[in-house]
């Protein structure tokens, strides 16, 4: 599989809680092509951020990978030592942009200094920071920061939220990563600024041919950005399809219900709701996790776990209705 | 007569604290959070106020209920100015006008059970005949927002975000108000819960002839819930008209920019090809001269840099503040 950047097989992740292990991710199977933007959508608590962190091995000590494997460029990254992972992959081949740019930059260092640090380590400490300054200013300019030479010497609190997220993107792209994990990078931003950042992100992806795992709960944003979408519910991926295919022909009852209850400015009909609530982590129902809220559920849904199966070309869904 | 009328509302926040500022003798910093805003809300209408963060939406909401005192301007409720209400009149006004606060959880007292939270307005306004009826009334209110009786004994931390939001709505309904200010009632809720809350608010409006002032930055939701929209930018209303017009025939360049950033799941365009408005909202401490939108506006000309445009009608019921239309 030379063209697959990322391949996740039967991944399961558990958190330790009061001496017990709780499954937060189960049966995760996912592939990412190079240069592809895959959106991971789901409601809060569905495990989308946990999956992003698992790939970058940023999980806390209380979590463990219980089953499965993650292959990055054909290499099993679950078995790499922490040192090797840090030296070879994290920050080099894989980068991350997080939700809240306020917390991502160090408040007591100048923005320019923080960019220089990344460049300095990228040059394997060969070049001095002075030599790199020109490069850093160039990068700021590229991500659309006006007056970059002046801005270079400012502190994070002097930057607006949108500008901080631009800086984060700049830092993530310095090492020219093959995979960028973006965890809701625009949630804290205003509508027009959000559009600017997503426009910038799309252009950077074009230029660097980076694959992106874009974690979001906003289906509208995802529709304009991603090539494919994976929908998560209660720790499982329930459906994966091309973006337009998913919106036009949702297969899984959860996806279908989610689309019907989404307020959309083009929609005039009554909004629908999904009865019940997302189950608690320590209390997942037997069988399909969605069956208590699903209007189509039948006997088999209460006993067996459905697995992702290809129901049409490149359209995967985990639902027993497709077997009937 | 409009139920609520806001006339030339201004709210400036002044900051002259801090030793360094006093030593530097720079004079007080004035933030024009709301600068000369006027609108009317007719009975049973929903006016949505939209805009980006810092444009003064919440300040308008709070001023309308006199939770903060305006710097200048007048707010009329049923034709009477609430600014001049004495204590007794204000108490009566507070029965009629309620608010649903932005954060579902932190707006509930963590030491109260749901029964106490929902019944507190009834105590304050002496509407309790006896304690037995009180519990019935609480159950009735919870039922109205789709919560069963058992929730009356829970503490806020035992509720999910959606349930906490429903308790907040039940509390606002306790005194049978006719006007409710909703400050981003769906922010932070998941999609499926958000749609349930929107449906509930719409149902309650029809059932009890409620009037809403709806603060939001989610334009999809605005389309669904409101019939009038006011777009705010840097403390001013730049365009106000009914919802259909704003979505189909908006005129102000900022409205155009804001709505073109809007993305529905059925649109066939992507962020790569889209022309996107540049720049960010300037600081309200030091707004640009003339039209405050002119540095970001692609149509701006000389006049925009010098003279502030006034809110004027382009057609009946459609007002905008832009020199292009005068």
């Amino acid at each position: 599989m030379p063209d697959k950047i990322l391949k996740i097989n039967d991944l399961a992740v558990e958190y330790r809680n009061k001496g017990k292990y709780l499954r937060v991710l189960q049966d995760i199977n996912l592939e990412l092509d190079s240069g592809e933007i895959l959106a991971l959508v789901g409601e809060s608590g569905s495990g989308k951020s946990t999956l992003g962190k698992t790939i970058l091995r940023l999980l806390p000590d209380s979590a463990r990978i219980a089953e499965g494997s993650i292959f990055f460029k054909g290499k099993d990254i679950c078995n790499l030592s922490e040192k090797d992972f840090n030296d070879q992959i994290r920050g080099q081949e894989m980068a991350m942009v997080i939700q809240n740019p306020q917390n991502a930059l160090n408040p007591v260092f100048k923005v320019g200094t923080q960019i220089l640090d990344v460049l300095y380590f990228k040059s394997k400490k060969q070049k001095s920071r002075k030599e790199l300054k020109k490069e850093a200013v160039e990068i700021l300019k590229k991500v659309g920061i006006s007056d970059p030479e002046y801005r270079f010497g400012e502190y994070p609190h002097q930057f607006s939220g949108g500008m901080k997220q631009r800086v984060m993107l700049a830092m993530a792209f310095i090492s020219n990563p093959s995979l960028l994990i973006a965890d809701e990078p625009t949630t804290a931003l205003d509508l027009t600024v959000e559009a600017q950042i997503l426009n910038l992100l799309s252009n950077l992806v074009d230029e660097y041919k980076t694959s992106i795992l874009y974690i979001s709960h906003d289906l509208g944003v995802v529709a304009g950005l991603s090539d494919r979408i994976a929908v998560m519910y209660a720790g499982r991926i329930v459906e994966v399809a091309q973006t337009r295919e998913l919106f036009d022909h949702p297969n899984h009852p959860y996806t279908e219900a989610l689309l019907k209850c989404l307020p959309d400015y083009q929609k005039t009909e009554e909004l629908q709701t999904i009865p019940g609530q997302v189950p608690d982590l320590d209390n997942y129902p037997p069988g399909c996790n969605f069956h208590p809220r699903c209007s189509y559920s039948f006997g088999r849904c209460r006993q067996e776990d459905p697995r992702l199966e290809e129901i049409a070309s490149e359209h995967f869904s985990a639902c027993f209705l497709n077997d009937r | 007569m409009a139920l609520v009328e806001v006339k030339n509302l201004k709210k400036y926040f002044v900051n002259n604290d801090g030793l360094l500022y006093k030593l530097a003798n720079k004079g007080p910093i004035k933030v024009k959070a709301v600068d000369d805003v006027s609108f009317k809300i007719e009975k049973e209408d929903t006016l949505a106020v939209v805009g980006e963060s810092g444009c003064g939406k919440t300040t308008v909401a709070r001023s309308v209920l006199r939770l903060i005192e305006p710097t200048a301007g007048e707010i009329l409720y049923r034709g009477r100015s609430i600014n001049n209400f004495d204590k007794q009149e204000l108490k009566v006004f507070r029965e009629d006008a309620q608010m649903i606060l932005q954060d579902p959880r932190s707006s509930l007292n963590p030491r109260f059970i749901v029964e106490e939270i929902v019944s507190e307005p009834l105590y304050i306004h002496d509407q309790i005949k006896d304690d037995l009826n009180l519990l019935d009334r609480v159950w009735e209110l919870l039922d109205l927002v789709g919560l069963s009786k058992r929730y009356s004994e829970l503490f806020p931390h035992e509720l999910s975000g959606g349930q906490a939001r429903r308790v907040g709505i039940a509390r606002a309904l306790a005194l049978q108000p006719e006007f409710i200010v909703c400050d981003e009632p769906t922010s932070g809720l998941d999609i499926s819960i958000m749609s349930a809350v929107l449906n509930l608010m719409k149902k309650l409006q029809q059932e009890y002839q409620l009037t809403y002032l709806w603060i939001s930055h989610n334009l999809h939701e605005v389309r669904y819930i409101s019939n009038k929209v006011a777009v705010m930018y840097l403390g001013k209303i730049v365009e106000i008209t009914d919802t259909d017009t704003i979505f189909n025939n908006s005129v102000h360049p900022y409205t155009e920019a804001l709505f073109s950033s809007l993305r529905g799941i059925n649109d066939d365009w992507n962020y790569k090809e889209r022309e996107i408005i540049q720049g960010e909202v300037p600081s309200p401490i030091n707004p640009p001269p003339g039209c405050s939108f002119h540095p970001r506006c692609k149509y701006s000309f000389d006049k925009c840099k010098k003279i502030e445009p006034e809110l004027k009608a382009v057609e009946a019921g459609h007002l905008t503040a832009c020199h292009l239309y005068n």
Side-chain angles (χ1 to χ4, degrees):
Chain A
M1 309 152 290
D3 54 343
K4 295 276 183 270
I5 285 286
L6 185 74
K7 197 166 162 36
I8 301 175
N9 296 324
D10 294 321
L11 182 75
V13 173
E14 293 178 336
Y15 271 105
R16 193 174 59 233
N17 183 25
K18 292 175 189 157
K20 275 196 312 192
Y21 276 98
L22 302 173
R23 283 265 156 123
V24 287
L25 293 177
Q26 172 84 13
D27 284 340
I28 302 289
N29 284 289
L30 207 60
E31 287 180 351
L32 206 60
D33 287 327
S34 72
E36 183 185 43
I37 304 181
L38 174 74
L40 206 55
V41 300
E43 297 183 89
S44 49
S46 62
K48 40 190 204 307
S49 289
T50 303
L51 180 53
K53 284 182 189 156
T54 310
I55 296 167
L56 254 179
R57 302 219 336 211
L58 291 174
L59 289 174
D61 289 340
S62 60
R64 68 169 187 200
I65 295 175
E67 279 170 38
S69 52
I70 303 173
F71 287 92
F72 178 69
K73 290 186 159 177
K75 197 191 275 178
D76 185 352
I77 53 170
C78 293
N79 295 325
L80 274 181
S81 74
E82 181 62 27
K83 187 176 181 307
D84 285 347
F85 189 79
N86 223 356
D87 286 350
Q88 295 165 21
I89 296 182
R90 193 188 291 139
Q92 332 264 328
E93 292 275 324
M94 266 192 220
M96 187 167 189
V97 181
I98 65 164
Q99 183 170 353
N100 196 341
Q102 254 77 346
N103 302 337
L105 290 167
N106 191 332
V108 300
F109 288 104
K110 288 173 182 166
V111 170
T113 313
Q114 300 188 45
I115 294 176
L116 279 182
D117 279 345
V118 182
L119 284 168
Y120 179 61
F121 281 101
K122 191 206 164 196
S123 75
K124 305 258 186 289
K125 306 184 187 177
Q126 296 303 310
K127 289 185 191 165
S128 72
R129 284 184 164 83
K130 239 182 188 159
E131 292 171 85
L132 292 166
K133 183 173 174 185
K134 217 177 145 199
E135 230 176 292
V137 172
E138 213 42 48
I139 287 163
L140 278 179
K141 201 171 167 187
K142 189 172 191 172
V143 293
I145 305 257
S146 55
D147 202 0
E149 307 224 355
Y150 178 71
R151 288 292 186 177
F152 185 86
E154 286 197 326
Y155 287 93
H157 74 267
Q158 292 166 301
F159 278 51
S160 70
M163 280 159 63
K164 277 184 218 162
Q165 206 56 289
R166 282 173 196 272
V167 172
M168 291 316 296
L169 280 176
M171 286 163 77
F173 276 94
I174 281 175
S175 58
N176 193 2
S178 318
L179 175 66
L180 177 72
I181 294 169
D183 191 355
E184 311 212 19
T186 62
T187 307
L189 304 177
D190 279 322
L191 200 57
T192 56
V193 180
E194 174 178 62
Q196 290 168 13
I197 296 291
L198 293 170
N199 178 260
L200 173 69
L201 185 65
S202 305
N203 290 329
L204 289 171
V205 167
D206 259 16
E207 190 181 330
Y208 290 95
K209 303 280 174 272
T210 308
S211 308
I212 295 190
L213 187 68
Y214 191 91
I215 299 168
S216 178
H217 66 269
D218 190 333
L219 291 166
V221 161
V222 159
L225 185 74
S226 65
D227 302 309
R228 280 195 306 148
I229 297 180
V231 182
M232 287 191 76
Y233 181 77
R236 286 161 188 273
I237 292 178
V238 295
E239 189 164 1
V240 185
Q242 304 277 345
T243 300
R244 273 276 46 98
E245 164 85 4
L246 188 95
F247 288 135
D248 295 340
H249 309 287
N251 175 276
H252 196 280
Y254 175 64
T255 316
E256 193 190 326
L258 201 61
L259 292 177
K260 277 191 183 149
C261 63
L262 179 73
D264 190 295
Y265 75 101
Q266 292 154 326
K267 200 149 64 176
T268 44
E269 70 261 36
E270 180 86 347
L271 296 178
Q272 296 200 0
T273 55
I274 306 177
Q277 285 169 26
V278 180
D280 286 334
L281 272 178
D282 52 356
N283 198 15
Y284 279 157
C288 170
N289 282 343
F290 188 59
H291 89 255
R293 305 175 74 187
C294 178
S295 50
Y296 308 105
S297 71
F298 56 104
R300 195 175 164 196
C301 305
R302 278 165 226 137
Q303 287 143 17
E304 288 175 56
D305 279 348
R307 289 183 62 90
L308 270 185
E309 272 164 40
E310 191 157 13
I311 51 150
S313 163
E314 293 197 45
H315 190 160
F316 299 84
S317 175
C319 182
F320 291 128
L321 286 174
N322 296 311
D323 296 349
R324 292 229 279 195
Chain B
M1 182 175 49
L3 184 70
V4 178
E5 187 173 353
V6 173
K7 282 184 182 168
N8 305 94
L9 175 70
K10 286 181 187 170
K11 177 68 198 177
Y12 300 163
F13 292 102
V14 181
N15 181 5
N16 50 8
D17 301 345
L19 187 63
L20 283 176
Y21 271 112
K22 279 179 185 154
L23 288 177
N25 206 8
K26 278 185 176 172
I29 304 170
K30 218 182 243 178
V31 179
K32 296 183 175 181
V34 175
D35 198 8
D36 206 358
V37 160
S38 306
F39 59 83
K40 283 181 191 174
I41 312 175
E42 300 292 334
K43 196 155 171 43
E44 290 178 53
D45 271 4
T46 301
L47 173 75
V49 178
V50 301
E52 298 179 277
S53 50
C55 72
K57 308 188 288 283
T58 298
T59 308
V60 168
R62 292 180 163 265
S63 307
V64 166
L65 291 183
R66 214 178 131 184
L67 297 176
I68 47 178
E69 296 290 337
T71 309
E74 209 177 14
I75 291 137
L76 303 177
Y77 186 77
R78 294 185 172 282
R80 294 170 62 214
S81 167
I82 67 163
N83 309 65
N84 306 326
F85 278 176
D86 62 26
K87 237 178 168 178
Q88 198 51 42
E89 286 170 314
L90 198 61
K91 199 171 172 186
V92 176
F93 169 66
R94 297 237 183 276
E95 276 181 47
D96 285 344
Q98 286 286 326
M99 185 164 188
I100 297 172
L101 294 143
Q102 188 166 355
D103 189 316
R105 221 178 286 265
S106 69
S107 58
L108 304 179
N109 188 332
R111 292 174 193 278
F112 276 14
I113 58 170
V114 168
E115 183 195 327
E116 291 169 308
I117 292 169
V118 175
S119 61
E120 203 188 8
L122 299 168
Y123 273 109
I124 293 171
H125 291 274
D126 296 325
Q127 293 196 355
I128 296 160
K129 307 224 165 46
D130 58 77
D131 282 1
L132 251 168
N133 282 337
L134 178 69
L135 197 56
D136 278 342
R137 178 75 184 131
V138 169
W139 284 342
E140 199 183 311
L141 286 163
L142 290 180
D143 184 53
L144 213 59
V145 296
L147 294 175
S148 64
K149 286 178 186 174
R150 74 177 183 90
Y151 286 99
S152 63
E153 288 157 24
L154 299 182
F155 282 98
H157 71 263
E158 297 172 281
L159 304 169
S160 71
Q163 288 161 353
R165 173 47 76 219
R166 283 168 195 268
V167 171
I169 297 171
R171 175 177 61 184
L173 291 171
L175 295 167
Q176 295 169 309
E178 46 184 11
F179 175 54
I180 302 182
V181 174
C182 313
D183 190 2
E184 309 211 13
T186 62
S187 71
L189 299 180
D190 272 324
I191 299 165
S192 61
I193 297 152
M194 178 173 161
S195 67
V197 169
L198 286 175
N199 280 343
L200 173 67
M201 294 303 287
K202 214 166 183 173
K203 191 189 95 187
L204 291 171
Q205 179 167 43
Q206 280 156 9
E207 227 160 280
Y208 297 97
Q209 290 87 45
L210 297 172
T211 307
Y212 293 149
L213 174 64
W214 192 281
I215 312 295
S216 181
H217 61 257
N218 184 334
L219 298 175
H220 298 296
E221 155 190 316
V222 163
R223 172 90 215 209
Y224 182 72
I225 198 87
S226 72
N227 56 348
K228 291 247 163 55
V229 178
V231 181
M232 283 189 75
Y233 187 78
L234 222 59
K236 294 193 175 73
I237 290 181
V238 296
E239 187 164 3
I240 179 166
T241 182
D242 51 84
T243 308
D244 283 335
T245 316
I246 210 115
F247 275 87
N248 299 317
N249 300 309
S250 64
V251 292
H252 195 280
Y254 176 64
T255 316
E256 187 191 319
L258 190 66
F259 283 70
S260 76
S261 323
L262 180 66
R263 184 73 175 84
I265 55 168
N266 294 318
D267 289 318
D268 204 15
W269 61 266
N270 58 49
Y271 287 104
K272 205 163 19 192
E273 289 143 18
R274 194 76 180 186
E275 187 194 336
I276 283 156
I277 178 175
Q278 294 307 313
E280 291 182 33
V281 185
S283 155
I285 294 171
N286 195 10
C291 170
S292 50
F293 186 60
H294 86 256
R296 300 174 77 189
C297 180
K298 59 182 174 186
Y299 308 109
S300 74
F301 53 102
D302 276 355
K303 198 176 168 190
C304 306
K305 291 175 192 135
K306 290 170 199 143
I307 303 163
E308 208 180 294
E310 278 175 48
L311 201 60
K312 280 185 184 161
V314 280
E315 55 188 322
H318 188 172
L319 282 75
T320 190
C322 182
H323 289 310
L324 289 173
Y325 299 92
N326 296 328

